[in-house]
């Protein structure tokens, strides 16, 4: 159901308009206000992506990217961050027994985690209740779309939306942060993107919006797409991932995988392997993705940044469009050092 929804033109245009509004009304004014100063771009991008994913998922605006950069960004964002952080820390424990005992006794980090999750759950429930009271048939956010399909299991709805928040917040922020760091080290790439931007926008009619690159124009920017793919090769937001075999299986190289086995792959390491990408594997080189000036995709099993096969990332296209919008809006107006 999510795959069908996210693949529809109406949903993609809805997401594009949310991103466009956030850039025009918050991101650009903020960057204008601090021009010539030092700014924590990672913090800015995390606020930006959280605003976007909340609007898209819930139809709720947490206003994290206000000009004053409020601290905390919002109570919901703070609880969400803490729950994510403490959940991840469980995996760093020398033994799972430690956090399980703390959970039973409701102590320390497990007590904090329980409180943070409760706040996230309560917020999600408020959003669901509001939709029921106000109606959802004319709303475009993800929650409303799922509710319109007659799903009335509140826990199920909450889990869907929270999983989209997890998937769409830190990944985009991480991808943008790495990209601008690489761009600051590679002025030739920055120049090439600006050059492509000028050529593509000049080819469109004067009636097109001049302050914002439109959806159709972005599809013609092959070098920009290549640069983003190259950045994600070197700095994938999800550095490693795991799957568990539901049944006995055999991998393409004839490795037998027993039912219940955990199989982990590591996009970060794979993107830096000489035998996979060649002797220049550590270089930031967008040209490796281009053939006669046009972007040519790699085999997703060689480049599993968005996963591959039946489990390919549902939000891949939306995430790339969001990143492109930000890159073009900033590069058109500012030099980032």
């Amino acid at each position: 159901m999510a795959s069908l929804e996210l693949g529809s033109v109406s949903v993609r245009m809805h997401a594009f308009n949310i991103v466009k509004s956030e850039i025009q009304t918050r991101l650009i004014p903020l960057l204008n206000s601090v021009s010539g100063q030092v700014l924590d771009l990672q913090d800015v991008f995390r606020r930006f992506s959280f605003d976007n994913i909340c609007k898209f998922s819930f139809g709720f605006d947490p206003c994290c990217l206000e000009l004053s950069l409020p601290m905390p960004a919002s109570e919901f964002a703070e609880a969400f961050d803490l729950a994510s952080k403490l959940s991840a820390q469980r995996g760093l424990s020398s033994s799972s027994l430690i956090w399980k005992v703390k959970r039973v006794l409701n102590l320390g980090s497990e007590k904090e985690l329980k409180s943070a999750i409760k706040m996230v759950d309560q917020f999600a429930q408020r959003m669901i209740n509001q939709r029921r009271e106000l109606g959802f048939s004319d709303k475009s956010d993800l929650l409303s779309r799922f509710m319109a399909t007659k799903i009335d299991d509140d826990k199920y709805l909450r889990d869907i939306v929270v999983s989209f928040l997890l998937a769409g917040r830190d990944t985009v922020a991480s991808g943008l942060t790495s990209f601008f760091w690489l761009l600051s080290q590679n002025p030739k790439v920055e120049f090439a993107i600006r050059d492509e931007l000028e050529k593509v926008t000049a080819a469109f009619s004067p009636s097109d919006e001049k302050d914002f690159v439109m959806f159709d124009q972005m599809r013609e920017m092959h070098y920009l797409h290549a640069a983003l793919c190259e950045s994600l090769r070197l700095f994938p937001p999800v550095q490693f991932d795991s799957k568990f075999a539901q049944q006995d299986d055999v991998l393409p190289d004839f490795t037998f995988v027993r039912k219940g086995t955990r199989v982990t792959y590591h996009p970060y390491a794979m993107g830096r392997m000489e035998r996979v990408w060649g002797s220049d594997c550590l270089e930031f080189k967008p040209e490796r993705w281009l053939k006669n000036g046009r972007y040519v995709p790699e085999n997703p099993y060689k480049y599993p940044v968005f996963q591959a096969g039946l489990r390919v990332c549902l939000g891949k296209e939306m995430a790339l469009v969001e990143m492109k919008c930000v890159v073009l809006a900033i590069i058109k107006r500012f030099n980032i050092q």
Side-chain angles (χ1 to χ4, degrees):
M1 195 184 299
S3 180
L4 287 171
E5 288 288 356
L6 294 178
S8 71
V9 175
S10 63
V11 169
R12 290 187 180 183
M13 285 311 298
H14 175 59
F16 179 75
N17 289 330
I18 288 173
V19 171
K20 179 180 173 181
S21 172
E22 185 78 6
I23 289 173
Q24 290 179 328
T25 62
R26 288 183 180 157
L27 181 63
I28 297 305
L30 171 68
L31 295 181
N32 272 324
S33 73
V34 296
S35 187
Q37 299 175 40
V38 175
L39 185 68
D40 183 349
L41 270 188
Q42 180 169 258
D43 178 50
V44 168
F45 290 146
R46 292 181 85 233
R47 290 168 182 268
F48 172 85
S49 59
F50 197 65
D51 279 356
N52 283 318
I53 198 64
C54 282
K55 289 180 196 174
F56 178 74
S57 299
F58 285 128
F60 164 75
D61 183 2
C63 302
C64 295
L65 196 61
E66 292 289 358
L67 212 57
S68 61
L69 292 178
M71 290 298 293
S74 77
E75 283 190 359
F76 175 55
E78 191 175 31
F80 190 82
D81 278 348
L82 185 60
S84 303
K85 176 185 173 184
L86 295 176
S87 297
Q89 282 180 356
R90 284 177 169 182
L92 299 175
S93 298
S94 53
S95 167
S96 62
L97 191 63
I98 296 172
W99 66 260
K100 285 177 180 177
V101 168
K102 286 163 73 176
R103 182 174 64 179
V104 170
L105 299 175
N106 197 30
L107 295 173
S109 59
E110 287 298 312
K111 183 178 181 180
E112 286 183 84
L113 177 58
K114 186 178 179 181
S115 174
I117 289 174
K118 184 180 178 182
M119 185 176 287
V120 171
D121 286 350
Q122 287 174 342
F123 175 82
Q125 191 62 54
R126 278 205 310 275
M127 293 293 108
I128 293 167
N129 293 342
Q130 277 182 19
R131 285 290 175 279
R132 288 215 174 94
E133 290 171 18
L134 302 173
F136 45 77
S137 57
D138 61 338
K139 300 288 193 299
S140 300
D141 60 273
L142 200 65
L143 176 61
S144 296
R145 287 173 179 270
F146 273 96
M147 292 178 77
T149 61
K150 308 301 182 190
I151 294 175
D152 56 4
D153 180 338
D154 285 7
K155 183 178 182 301
Y156 186 69
L157 287 168
R158 180 204 69 196
D159 288 350
I160 286 171
V161 175
V162 169
S163 71
F164 271 88
L165 292 179
L166 279 166
R169 191 271 182 100
D170 287 338
T171 49
V172 169
S174 170
L176 284 169
T177 305
S178 300
F179 183 80
F180 276 99
W181 182 82
L182 283 167
L183 213 59
S184 70
Q185 313 295 310
N186 295 271
K188 287 182 180 178
V189 174
E190 185 176 20
F191 176 81
I193 295 172
R194 279 207 178 98
D195 187 51
E196 181 179 61
L197 173 61
E198 287 177 18
K199 287 176 181 173
V200 169
T201 51
F204 281 71
S205 67
S207 60
D208 290 323
E209 293 185 50
K210 290 185 177 178
D211 286 340
F212 203 84
V213 179
M214 301 309 292
F215 206 73
D216 291 338
Q217 293 173 318
M218 277 193 287
R219 283 195 294 210
E220 298 301 314
M221 296 183 182
H222 293 271
Y223 190 87
L224 170 63
H225 193 85
L228 278 169
C229 288
E230 180 71 344
S231 172
L232 293 170
R233 176 183 72 85
L234 290 167
F235 295 103
V238 180
Q239 296 187 355
F240 64 93
D241 202 355
S242 298
K243 307 293 174 194
F244 290 84
Q246 281 192 315
Q247 304 294 336
D248 287 353
D249 203 354
V250 179
L251 297 182
D253 68 349
F254 306 111
T255 301
F256 176 70
V257 182
R258 194 176 301 282
K259 177 182 177 180
T261 301
R262 174 178 176 168
V263 179
T264 299
Y265 62 101
H266 208 301
Y268 181 89
M270 290 171 70
R272 292 160 182 266
M273 284 181 175
E274 189 171 326
R275 66 182 172 86
V276 176
W277 292 95
S279 58
D280 59 356
C281 62
L282 297 181
E283 292 179 34
F284 179 51
K285 192 176 174 184
E287 290 76 14
R288 77 174 78 242
W289 296 85
L290 299 171
K291 190 171 183 180
N292 298 323
R294 299 188 73 81
Y295 167 76
V296 179
E298 271 292 355
N299 183 325
Y301 294 96
K302 174 182 175 180
Y303 178 75
V305 171
F306 293 99
Q307 306 196 52
L310 296 175
R311 297 287 179 265
V312 70
C313 171
L314 294 178
K316 174 185 175 180
E317 296 306 322
M318 288 168 56
L320 286 170
V321 166
E322 184 175 346
M323 291 173 71
K324 287 177 186 179
C325 286
V326 173
V327 170
L328 292 172
I330 292 178
I331 238 178
K332 194 174 182 180
R333 298 166 176 84
F334 303 99
N335 290 309
I336 304 290
Q337 296 179 341

